[in-house]
Amino acid sequence: MTKVLIIDDDLELMALLKEYFSDEGFAVETTDDGRRAIAEASDGTVDIILLDIMMPRMNGIEVLQRIRRVSAVPILMVTARGDDVDRISGLNLGADDYVAKPCSPGELAARIRAILRRTSRPEEGGSADDLLRVGDLVLKPSLRSAEWHDRPLDLTGTEFNLLEVLARNAGQLVSKQEISKKAFGRPLTPFDRRIDVHISSVRQKLGLRHDGQSWIQAVRGQGYQLVQDP
């Protein structure tokens, strides 16, 4: 059973979500203590975290930052509507997605399932026959692992999906709409910055080409492409 950890200081909301998610077939734990969340993420006892940004003592951004030092567990942020600064900060620190309050329990459950579908790992012994190689980049989609210059490349689940889309179309422009559908599982919405933020993170992890340019090139207003060496 998928275990969801809800981190929020709104006790009434957590009780409502726990009841709803339990009826949806999830195992649910709740806490308003960021330190407990960090500990559970570290020992691998949860499958996904629902993290509210506005909390006392230790805010959600700090919790997210500390979790990402020890775990790649999927994280869905909950932010105040219109709070772009927190959203961008969270995505930059490795959150997989965000949803703005107020939101329905049904929407949160749908987002959680979507994140789990695109970040899930196969059972041990999964096939690596679908190896995808672009120069020094090697992706094993069935194992959800990546290597860059013969070294493991540390990616979040969302970053892996995004890089896989670009790698399968290496040397070609991929529109933002296509990236959103294939990497995030939904159409691109107006003013949506999550693709740009995740691209920025992947660029940092890949570093620069020998000519000082990024491995992922942007075409303003159109999309991105993964550069191939001639």
Side-chain angles (χ1 to χ4, degrees), residues 47-121:
D47 298 298
I48 189 167
I49 292 174
L50 183 64
L51 174 62
D52 185 41
I53 296 299
M54 299 300 294
M55 294 194 301
R57 297 189 298 278
M58 183 185 297
N59 67 41
I61 292 295
E62 184 179 355
V63 173
L64 170 61
Q65 188 172 27
R66 293 178 62 176
I67 287 175
R68 277 295 172 254
R69 293 174 185 166
V70 297
S71 172
V73 61
I75 297 175
L76 174 61
M77 297 187 306
V78 180
T79 69
R81 186 171 298 278
D83 197 345
D84 290 336
V85 173
D86 278 345
R87 294 177 189 177
I88 292 172
S89 295
L91 293 174
N92 275 327
L93 291 171
D96 291 271
D97 204 350
Y98 64 79
V99 65
K101 287 183 176 180
C103 52
S104 69
E107 179 182 1
L108 288 171
R111 290 289 186 95
I112 286 171
R113 288 194 174 96
I115 292 172
L116 289 171
R117 281 196 301 270
R118 67 178 190 249
T119 61
S120 62
R121 290 182 176 272

Side-chain angles (χ1 to χ4, degrees), residues 61-224:
I61 292 295
E62 184 179 355
V63 173
L64 170 61
Q65 188 172 27
R66 293 178 62 176
I67 287 175
R68 277 295 172 254
R69 293 174 185 166
V70 297
S71 172
V73 61
I75 297 175
L76 174 61
M77 297 187 306
V78 180
T79 69
R81 186 171 298 278
D83 197 345
D84 290 336
V85 173
D86 278 345
R87 294 177 189 177
I88 292 172
S89 295
L91 293 174
N92 275 327
L93 291 171
D96 291 271
D97 204 350
Y98 64 79
V99 65
K101 287 183 176 180
C103 52
S104 69
E107 179 182 1
L108 288 171
R111 290 289 186 95
I112 286 171
R113 288 194 174 96
I115 292 172
L116 289 171
R117 281 196 301 270
R118 67 178 190 249
T119 61
S120 62
R121 290 182 176 272
E123 295 298 322
E124 192 70 25
S127 172
D129 292 341
D130 60 340
L131 181 145
L132 176 62
R133 183 185 297 274
V134 180
D136 290 312
L137 175 67
V138 178
L139 300 179
K140 299 176 182 178
S142 66
L143 303 177
R144 296 193 65 79
S145 67
E147 293 181 1
W148 180 234
H149 294 288
D150 297 320
R151 295 183 178 181
L153 183 60
D154 184 20
L155 300 170
T156 67
T158 298
E159 290 169 354
F160 184 95
N161 288 350
L162 188 152
L163 188 54
E164 181 185 356
V165 171
L166 295 179
R168 291 191 182 280
N169 298 274
Q172 304 175 44
L173 177 67
V174 186
S175 71
K176 285 188 173 184
Q177 189 65 251
E178 184 176 356
I179 292 173
S180 184
K181 288 180 180 179
K182 291 184 176 179
F184 302 130
R186 61 178 179 273
L188 186 70
T189 56
F191 311 112
D192 193 335
R193 294 287 311 281
R194 60 172 59 85
I195 291 177
D196 305 303
V197 176
H198 286 303
I199 286 283
S200 176
S201 178
V202 175
R203 279 173 166 166
Q204 291 179 20
K205 293 178 180 182
L206 294 178
L208 298 177
R209 290 163 47 85
H210 56 81
D211 59 5
Q213 300 296 310
S214 173
W215 285 97
I216 300 177
Q217 298 290 322
V219 178
R220 184 177 293 275
Q222 297 185 48
Y224 293 94

Side-chain angles (χ1 to χ4, degrees), residues 17-61:
L17 292 178
K18 183 172 184 177
E19 180 178 0
Y20 184 90
F21 289 170
S22 297
D23 289 343
E24 290 289 303
F26 296 114
V28 184
E29 289 195 10
T30 62
T31 184
D32 61 354
D33 184 351
R35 291 177 178 81
R36 176 186 169 192
I38 295 165
E40 293 204 26
S42 301
D43 62 23
T45 60
V46 295
D47 298 298
I48 189 167
I49 292 174
L50 183 64
L51 174 62
D52 185 41
I53 296 299
M54 299 300 294
M55 294 194 301
R57 297 189 298 278
M58 183 185 297
N59 67 41
I61 292 295

